[in-house]
Amino acid sequence: MPDFKDDFTRFLYATYISYLPEDDFGYDLEMKTDNRGWLSEVIKSKHFGQIFISKTKPGITRGNHWHHTKNEKFLVVSGKGVIRFRKIDSDEIIEYYVSGDKLEVVDIPPGYTHNIENLGDTDLVTIMWANEPFDPEKPDTYYLEV
């Protein structure tokens, strides 16, 4: 995605999109699938980070890692679960119970190891935003159990 902070770029991109063939409006996303479910990156930009979505199977926990600079926002849109945090130099665990029945954005600050567990009988669907896109050369993701 381009940086849309100036009018010229916004107008140029709008013009470009308006000339796409009508049978080329949609496109497939790569789904990274494993025994936990799947995760897919929806939009990535060095200007605003990235948006991704995940489906987590019942009883599964994702995460157990922390970041130096990356911060994230989680929004559960279907299912029920718990997001757990622990400051990396503390033993205190913080829990947020989340559900698609009550939309709530949960901020994941740097320096907190975190995970999300599906507590329901159905898939847990979560939309996530990170302030910086994932860079495999500098992942800023460090495994640590909550």
Side-chain angles (χ1 to χ4, degrees), residues 40-92:
S40 187
E41 297 171 336
V42 180
I43 299 174
K44 281 177 98 167
S45 168
K46 64 181 180 176
H47 306 290
F48 65 79
Q50 77 181 77
I51 298 169
F52 45 105
I53 185 168
S54 75
K55 180 174 84 172
T56 305
K57 294 178 182 177
I60 297 294
T61 300
R62 288 183 177 271
N64 284 317
H65 62 256
W66 63 280
H67 312 285
H68 276 291
T69 59
K70 186 178 291 182
N71 59 82
E72 299 170 302
K73 292 180 181 290
F74 286 15
L75 171 62
V76 169
V77 295
S78 181
K80 63 179 181 178
V82 60
I83 300 170
R84 293 184 183 94
F85 303 84
R86 181 176 58 79
K87 213 173 205 179
I88 61 172
D89 61 354
S90 170
D91 293 329
E92 180 185 353

Side-chain angles (χ1 to χ4, degrees), residues 6-60:
D6 67 85
D7 287 342
F8 177 74
T9 303
R10 283 188 312 107
F11 297 154
L12 190 62
Y13 190 76
T15 301
Y16 161 72
I17 292 293
S18 73
Y19 279 91
L20 286 177
E22 290 179 356
D23 62 350
D24 202 22
F25 288 168
Y27 49 91
D28 294 333
L29 294 176
E30 178 185 354
M31 295 173 69
K32 296 172 173 87
T33 303
D34 61 23
N35 64 325
R36 301 171 298 171
W38 54 259
L39 183 132
S40 187
E41 297 171 336
V42 180
I43 299 174
K44 281 177 98 167
S45 168
K46 64 181 180 176
H47 306 290
F48 65 79
Q50 77 181 77
I51 298 169
F52 45 105
I53 185 168
S54 75
K55 180 174 84 172
T56 305
K57 294 178 182 177
I60 297 294

